[in-house]
Amino acid sequence: MATLIVRPDKIGDLILSTGVIEAIKEKHPEEKIFFIVSKYAKDILKNNPKVEDYLAIDNKTKIKEIINFIKLNKIDKSCLLYTSDAADERS
């Protein structure tokens, strides 16, 4: 079982989102956790032993790269984390 957490925005928001890892691991200790993050925030996850792997993206990242990451890691669930400001920016 593998969960993908998507948080490709600000460093502080990613730091605050790491609590989701604990919540998932508490209920499902065997769960593998993967992230999609921005390239400039990737170092936040670099030494986290509870994060299996991450994909660092930017505006030039191809959708095929994201799809390959999901397939390679056999991800079967995802959790999209966005602030209301981030949602407003995409509208």
Side-chain angles (χ1 to χ4, degrees), residues 22-72:
E22 296 298 323
I24 293 170
K25 288 289 193 176
E26 187 176 304
K27 286 265 191 194
H28 307 283
E30 74 291 344
E31 190 76 14
K32 293 182 179 179
I33 307 291
F34 297 88
F35 270 83
I36 292 180
V37 298
S38 64
K39 285 192 175 180
Y40 64 86
K42 69 180 191 255
D43 290 339
I44 301 299
L45 300 175
K46 197 175 244 180
N47 295 314
N48 188 325
K50 294 183 179 176
V51 175
E52 195 76 23
D53 198 5
Y54 60 85
L55 176 64
I57 64 170
D58 61 15
N59 291 340
K60 296 177 184 172
T61 303
K62 305 283 187 218
I63 190 71
K64 187 171 184 164
E65 188 177 349
I66 296 170
I67 291 168
N68 287 341
F69 180 78
I70 292 168
K71 286 181 178 180
L72 175 71

